[in-house]
Amino acid sequence: MQHEYKSNYLSHVIKIILVLVVVGVVGVAVRAMVLPKSFGEFGHYRGDAIQDEINRPNRHGTNASCLVCHPYIREMHLAGVHSTVSCEFCHGPVADHVKNGKVTNKLPKKEGKEIKRLCLRCHNQIIRARPKESIKMISMPQHLEQKHVRTDHNCNQCHNVHAPLMWVNEAKAMVGVGEETK
Amino acid sequence: MMMDGIEKEISQDRRAFIKKVLGGTIAGSLLLVIPAGAMELSAIPEQIPGMRDDTGTFISKKRKFAFIVDITRCIGCGSCCVADKNEYQVPDGMYRTWVERYVIDDQDNVFVDSPNGGLDGYQEPRKDIEHPVRDTFFVPKLCNMCEHPSCVQVCPVGATYQTDDGFVLVDAKRCVACGYCVQACPYSVRFINPKTKTADKCTWCYHRVRKGLLPACVNVCPVQARKFGDLNDKDSEVYKILHQPHVVSVLKPDMGNKPALHYVGLRREVV
């Protein structure tokens, strides 16, 4: 005679189902509490994050935002071969200078040896990786020797940093020698 | 009688002094109140056409942005790196964008260096190369804004995401800095920012682009080696470059990420 093993009691099944239901409900509740409101608005991320990124303050403007208040520099800078050079590269971001339309700080001006280093970032012929057709290259101190000036001269003693050929061409016109350099 | 006179004089002095101080204070505060040529965003002309209307609000439409770096133009000045560091105040030793210098000798040995990420420019030539140099050039690197980004796929908390216009961005509020995305990126553009303690990377200046301005690095490049624009706009320079015969390539095409960053004049040695 076979023994009947099957139990008629369901309490253990009910217990398991109850636990599963409780875990499910708590899980959904915790998820709703923990997830940010806009999560899943556009995809598996917080939708408001896009707006957060857009609201990041602009620290750089454009050359136009600088030149609107500096008309004298504007005239010089845009006429010269340095017209594509950014103001904020040499002087720093506009956010350090103007806040809510008011001047808060003076931006630094490169002086002395720093000028030479700055110019040679672009114009140093010794760095051969530079494409020659892009900009004019010079080698130091050969350039100074060739122009018959002292080798401790700084670039900005002959070249206006905003319009590098302005003074050179003015001097040539005054003396009446040579072609205008372009 | 004598004392009265002196006291009168002192009080008059006081009155004059207070008047002067008050006057100075008012004048000074007026200087702060009157705007000195406001640098408002709407005052800056739009750099990407069709991004904002007359009132300066963003025009929402389907866009597909592309970034092009022209290696044949790059002079390695590092303006882009400086602008990037200033725009985001990136901690020292971390780079959202950087410029590499490649030197290839006639034995086909490839030498790559990037001192301080090109932040100080390239002041000295490489002196450790014995053989004659066959080719040398600069390669600026930044986020590739993949169409199928590995970083988004691996992020366990949904902190890295792709917007409808193709930007891959990081939600700093959700990021737990597990660093999984840093490892997943095939182009190594991601890092854990020690200041914010979150993953960080180049965003192609999403906050500037949405306001109609070019990314900071594109804006400062003196030789137009970096170009940015909308491929749905047929007048844009990037559209013309990508739809006309040019030597254009992307980095690691076999990874299947389909980057939106393209290079003009890329050599096969570049990885």
Side-chain angles (χ1 to χ4, degrees):
Chain A
M1 175 132 179
Q2 251 198 342
H3 196 85
E4 183 67 59
Y5 281 111
K6 204 175 170 194
S7 157
N8 287 325
Y9 294 106
L10 284 172
S11 64
H12 60 294
V13 181
I14 292 169
K15 269 183 203 160
I16 290 173
I17 291 173
L18 256 178
V19 166
L20 282 178
V21 167
V22 168
V23 165
V25 168
V26 169
V28 168
V30 167
R31 188 173 192 271
M33 273 196 301
V34 171
L35 269 193
K37 238 188 197 156
S38 61
F39 200 91
E41 198 181 336
F42 308 111
H44 187 71
Y45 61 95
R46 201 169 57 92
D48 291 348
I50 297 180
Q51 199 52 48
D52 287 358
E53 187 64 43
I54 295 168
N55 290 344
R56 194 193 276 271
N58 279 39
R59 288 188 33 82
H60 281 76
T62 63
N63 271 13
S65 53
C66 304
L67 296 176
V68 71
C69 300
H70 300 275
Y72 174 63
I73 302 285
R74 180 196 171 87
E75 206 179 298
M76 246 180 352
H77 194 81
L78 294 185
V81 288
H82 270 181
S83 59
T84 59
V85 176
S86 162
C87 311
E88 290 161 304
F89 168 47
C90 303
H91 296 287
V94 71
D96 289 349
H97 178 50
V98 181
K99 227 166 234 149
N100 300 324
K102 285 155 220 149
V103 175
T104 52
N105 249 325
K106 257 189 117 161
L107 285 180
K109 223 162 118 183
K110 295 266 193 297
E111 299 284 359
K113 280 263 147 35
E114 274 188 321
I115 287 266
K116 201 167 183 175
R117 203 178 152 81
L118 188 68
C119 296
L120 289 180
R121 272 180 92 124
C122 297
H123 294 284
N124 199 351
Q125 194 153 43
I126 205 160
I127 308 297
R128 290 185 43 205
R130 293 195 174 120
K132 283 178 193 67
E133 59 275 15
S134 218
I135 55 167
K136 262 188 205 169
M137 299 287 179
I138 53 112
S139 37
M140 282 291 182
Q142 287 89 322
H143 176 71
L144 295 169
E145 285 161 4
Q146 194 194 336
K147 301 289 174 194
H148 306 293
V149 292
R150 288 214 327 254
T151 47
D152 58 350
H153 262 31
N154 239 337
C155 307
N156 63 338
Q157 281 175 277
C158 298
H159 301 282
N160 181 314
V161 287
H162 288 282
L165 299 173
M166 188 172 78
W167 294 337
V168 176
N169 285 335
E170 271 172 15
K172 275 183 183 167
M174 244 184 267
V175 185
V177 286
E179 292 271 300
E180 195 175 270
T181 320
K182 273 185 186 142
Chain B
M1 196 57 200
M2 192 67 173
M3 283 298 278
D4 270 8
I6 290 170
E7 247 167 44
K8 212 176 173 183
E9 220 166 82
I10 288 174
S11 72
Q12 257 175 359
D13 255 12
R14 269 192 197 138
R15 195 167 286 171
F17 174 74
I18 289 169
K19 260 187 191 168
K20 270 182 195 161
V21 168
L22 264 182
T25 318
I26 291 167
S29 53
L30 270 182
L31 263 183
L32 289 175
V33 173
I34 299 168
M39 203 282 288
E40 291 302 319
L41 194 74
S42 50
I44 311 175
E46 188 177 63
Q47 289 181 307
I48 308 168
M51 287 300 282
R52 56 187 192 209
D53 58 17
D54 299 336
T55 56
T57 31
F58 173 69
I59 306 170
S60 177
K61 65 173 182 192
K62 191 91 190 104
R63 292 189 180 83
K64 190 172 190 278
F65 287 106
F67 202 115
I68 295 179
V69 175
D70 192 341
I71 287 177
T72 59
R73 277 169 172 266
C74 180
I75 55 169
C77 63
S79 318
C80 43
C81 308
V82 172
D84 189 73
K85 195 175 174 73
N86 285 334
E87 181 74 21
Y88 296 96
Q89 290 165 312
V90 186
D92 289 340
M94 305 285 161
Y95 309 96
R96 293 167 70 112
T97 183
W98 66 97
V99 178
E100 292 170 0
R101 170 169 58 184
Y102 275 72
V103 183
I104 305 166
D105 70 9
D106 63 354
Q107 308 289 308
D108 278 351
N109 296 314
V110 183
F111 302 85
V112 189
D113 69 338
S114 185
N116 199 12
L119 205 59
D120 312 319
Y122 287 86
Q123 303 279 351
E124 291 298 324
R126 277 193 78 134
K127 294 189 178 98
D128 53 344
I129 295 157
E130 296 167 31
H131 300 288
V133 173
R134 165 167 74 80
D135 194 7
T136 168
F137 49 90
F138 291 108
V139 183
K141 295 266 178 90
L142 62 155
C143 180
N144 282 250
M145 295 290 169
C146 311
E147 207 180 307
H148 308 301
S150 322
C151 50
V152 173
Q153 201 183 359
V154 300
C155 180
V157 293
T160 275
Y161 58 95
Q162 193 177 25
T163 65
D164 288 341
D165 35 12
F167 283 78
V168 178
L169 304 172
V170 184
D171 179 357
K173 282 189 187 146
R174 272 197 81 70
C175 180
V176 291
C178 66
Y180 204 170
C181 56
V182 179
Q183 292 187 34
C185 177
Y187 305 103
S188 310
V189 299
R190 284 176 170 257
F191 57 92
I192 301 291
N193 189 324
K195 240 193 269 170
T196 59
K197 305 271 194 311
T198 59
D200 204 351
K201 70 164 189 81
C202 159
T203 55
W204 284 10
C205 289
Y206 189 61
H207 63 298
R208 286 176 63 91
V209 172
R210 279 290 294 253
K211 291 162 197 158
L213 303 178
L214 287 172
C217 58
V218 179
N219 179 47
V220 300
C221 182
V223 289
Q224 280 84 47
R226 286 174 180 243
K227 299 163 208 292
F228 180 84
D230 180 10
L231 287 180
N232 287 350
D233 171 13
K234 294 196 172 160
D235 296 322
S236 67
E237 201 183 353
V238 286
Y239 179 88
K240 284 175 189 160
I241 291 175
L242 292 185
H243 288 81
Q244 282 168 12
H246 279 96
V247 186
V248 182
S249 181
V250 296
L251 294 175
K252 298 184 187 171
D254 43 336
M255 292 298 289
N257 286 48
K258 288 195 117 186
L261 166 67
H262 301 262
Y263 285 90
V264 172
L266 193 71
R267 316 319 201 246
R268 68 187 151 89
E269 286 86 356
V270 180
V271 284

